[in-house]
Amino acid sequence: MPAQSADSLGRLGEKLAARYLSERGYRILEERYTNTRGYRLGEVDIIAEYQGYLRFIEVKTSLLRKEDLFSPEERLSPRKLHLLEGMAERYIREKRFF
């Protein structure tokens, strides 16, 4: 799949996920959040609040292929998980949620 098509599919998946979460009571705070200060760590697809907790959500969207035999959790690499943790810490500090 060409990069542009994959990016479009990913954005569509993120929009659908945000709508799905919103319909279930999540308050969407950010979509495609990147840190604005310091070393750029990456991007968090969705940041939402639900039942008093912040949720940092990585959306995995793909066409059916061999990798889809794995759950989304299994497709999240240790490096990406580490970057998401860093992004969550920065977001909490930046927005003063402590």
Side-chain angles (χ1 to χ4, degrees):
M1 174 181 288
Q4 185 177 10
S5 295
D7 189 49
S8 296
L9 180 63
R11 287 178 190 252
L12 175 62
E14 291 165 10
K15 289 290 181 193
L16 291 172
R19 183 173 15 168
Y20 175 87
L21 293 168
S22 183
E23 289 171 354
R24 281 152 183 79
Y26 286 73
R27 186 168 59 101
I28 306 300
L29 304 174
E30 305 272 351
E31 291 183 51
R32 302 190 71 148
Y33 170 80
T34 58
N35 59 302
T36 57
R37 296 182 180 183
Y39 178 73
R40 186 175 185 281
L41 294 173
E43 179 180 285
V44 179
D45 294 331
I46 300 170
I47 301 174
E49 182 273 328
Y50 182 72
Q51 297 182 346
Y53 291 94
L54 286 176
R55 311 296 173 117
F56 296 84
I57 301 160
E58 174 71 11
V59 178
K60 294 292 187 184
T61 309
S62 67
L63 299 174
L64 186 60
R65 53 182 190 226
K66 187 168 50 174
E67 296 89 45
D68 294 331
L69 299 175
F70 299 99
S71 71
E73 294 87 0
E74 293 171 317
R75 292 178 51 206
L76 190 62
S77 72
R79 181 178 188 288
K80 179 65 175 184
L81 183 58
H82 179 72
L83 291 174
L84 283 170
E85 290 170 349
M87 290 293 293
E89 290 173 7
R90 287 197 182 199
Y91 181 82
I92 289 167
R93 277 196 310 265
E94 183 180 299
K95 303 297 182 179
R96 303 180 193 267
F97 277 105
F98 48 88

